[in-house]
Amino acid sequence: MSDTPLREHALLSDCGTAALVTSGGSVDWLCLPRFDSAPVLARLLDDTAGHFLIAPAAGGSATRWAYRPPGSCSTRPGRRPGEPWS
């Protein structure tokens, strides 16, 4: 199982499918092509079920996020529209 608690995952969705992603860039749960499909990545349940990591190769800065009220949108605190995600 993933060492990251469920509460520390963000839900990313396009209204057809969804992924649970950690602040470190690990996609720990992903069902494709629909919500009711079998999971393609399922590290939340079993480490051998796979995950996908999206992170800089040479380290980089840590990511942070916060939910905007009413809690359906995840944003990076202090970031203005058009500002790079450095």
Side-chain angles (χ1 to χ4, degrees):
M1 280 181 43
S2 172
D3 292 334
T4 306
L6 183 59
R7 69 178 177 272
E8 294 182 18
H9 286 77
L11 177 71
L12 304 180
S13 175
D14 65 358
C15 296
T17 191
L20 290 174
V21 183
T22 68
S23 62
S26 177
V27 180
D28 288 348
W29 184 266
L30 174 63
C31 293
L32 288 173
R34 298 169 22 137
F35 287 113
D36 58 353
S37 301
V40 176
L41 304 172
R43 187 165 82 159
L44 282 177
L45 302 178
D46 182 0
D47 278 335
T48 63
H51 74 284
F52 187 84
L53 182 63
I54 303 168
S61 62
T63 57
R64 299 176 303 150
W65 60 43
Y67 285 99
R68 287 188 286 170
S72 61
C73 296
S74 176
T75 62
R76 180 175 168 214
R79 183 181 174 275
R80 292 182 217 119
E83 183 180 338
W85 286 92
S86 60

